[in-house]
């Protein structure tokens, strides 16, 4: 067997109406992906208008790309850094006090490399209370980053990260425990 992309069909995947996706495309380009509107409150307004659940004290920096806000939940006092890409083909849940540093990539979709038609696979991502995702890191489909875990700069998580663990590398490996001082 060989891969045959002419047989690819993801018609089963319906993330929202075409009108809603088109409207979001323009709002995302103008207010999020652009550096012209640095005001976080305005971004929160747009996200809520399009169905995202956004808590208090959320900071969203410039050049952020969000695929589908209606599949996004961000709790209180989170930081979404410059150039973060939330490619949420499935639900992304971000609990309170989570930091996504510059250039983080949350990726909810992939393709089945065993399938001749290269079928789309989507799985949710959960970032639990107090997690910190370092700059230029990647979180893959179906991953849960548990309470206060850290994924260090430029690392890739394709499996769950334990609470208070500090991880680095590709694939991410636990290197030590996180101790939070008073």
């Amino acid at each position: 067997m060989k891969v045959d992309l002419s047989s690819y069909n993801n018609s089963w995947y319906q993330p929202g109406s075409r009108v809603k996706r088109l409207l979001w495309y323009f709002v995302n380009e103008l207010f999020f992906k652009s550096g012209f509107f640095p005001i976080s409150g305005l971004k929160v307004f747009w996200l809520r208008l399009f169905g995202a659940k956004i808590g208090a004290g959320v900071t969203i920096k410039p050049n952020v790309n969000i695929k589908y806000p209606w599949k996004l939940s961000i709790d209180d006092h989170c930081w979404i850094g410059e150039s973060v890409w939330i490619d949420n083909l499935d639900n992304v849940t971000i609990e309170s006090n989570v930091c996504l540093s510059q250039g983080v990539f949350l990726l909810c979709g992939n393709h089945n490399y065993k399938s001749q038609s290269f079928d789309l696979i989507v799985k949710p991502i959960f970032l639990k209370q107090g997690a910190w995702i370092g700059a230029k890191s990647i979180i893959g489909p179906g991953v849960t980053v548990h309470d206060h875990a850290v994924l260090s700069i430029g690392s890739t998580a394709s499996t769950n990260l334990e609470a208070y663990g500090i991880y680095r590398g590709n694939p991410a490996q636990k290197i030590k425990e996180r101790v939070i001082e008073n």
Side-chain angles (χ1 to χ4, degrees), residues 46-57:
W46 281 114
L47 286 171
R48 287 179 178 151
L49 187 67
F50 276 86
K53 295 175 183 88
I54 308 294

Side-chain angles (χ1 to χ4, degrees), residues 121-176:
I121 301 169
V122 296
K123 295 181 182 176
I125 291 174
F126 298 94
L127 305 179
K128 301 290 188 172
Q129 170 80 24
W132 177 17
I133 312 304
K136 300 287 186 179
S137 291
I138 301 169
I139 305 288
V143 171
T144 297
V145 177
H146 288 278
D147 292 0
H148 303 285
V150 175
L151 183 62
S152 66
I153 296 170
S155 297
T156 301
S158 56
T159 59
N160 296 343
L161 306 185
E162 296 173 7
Y164 291 92
I166 298 176
Y167 293 80
R168 84 167 164 222
N170 182 6
Q173 299 294 317
K174 186 174 180 183
I175 57 170
K176 60 183 171 179

Side-chain angles (χ1 to χ4, degrees), residues 26-162:
F26 289 110
V27 169
N28 192 37
E29 287 292 325
L30 185 60
F31 293 98
F32 288 83
K33 289 172 70 175
S34 147
F36 294 119
F37 294 97
I39 302 165
S40 201
L42 185 58
K43 294 173 187 180
V44 167
F45 165 80
W46 281 114
L47 286 171
R48 287 179 178 151
L49 187 67
F50 276 86
K53 295 175 183 88
I54 308 294
V58 172
T59 299
I60 303 170
K61 301 302 275 181
N63 303 311
V64 169
N65 186 12
I66 298 170
K67 180 77 86 180
Y68 302 126
W70 48 92
K71 293 179 170 280
L72 180 62
S73 176
I74 304 174
D75 288 347
D76 299 337
H77 307 290
C78 291
W79 180 279
I80 311 299
E82 291 90 347
S83 302
V84 165
W85 183 3
I86 302 175
D87 192 20
N88 56 332
L89 297 174
D90 203 328
N91 293 325
V92 169
T93 303
I94 301 172
E95 292 185 354
S96 295
N97 300 299
V98 168
C99 177
L100 302 180
S101 297
Q102 304 90 327
V104 164
F105 186 18
L106 303 182
L107 178 64
C108 289
N110 204 346
H111 294 275
N112 183 351
Y113 63 86
K114 295 179 182 178
S115 167
Q116 182 180 7
S117 59
F118 209 53
D119 301 325
L120 179 65
I121 301 169
V122 296
K123 295 181 182 176
I125 291 174
F126 298 94
L127 305 179
K128 301 290 188 172
Q129 170 80 24
W132 177 17
I133 312 304
K136 300 287 186 179
S137 291
I138 301 169
I139 305 288
V143 171
T144 297
V145 177
H146 288 278
D147 292 0
H148 303 285
V150 175
L151 183 62
S152 66
I153 296 170
S155 297
T156 301
S158 56
T159 59
N160 296 343
L161 306 185
E162 296 173 7

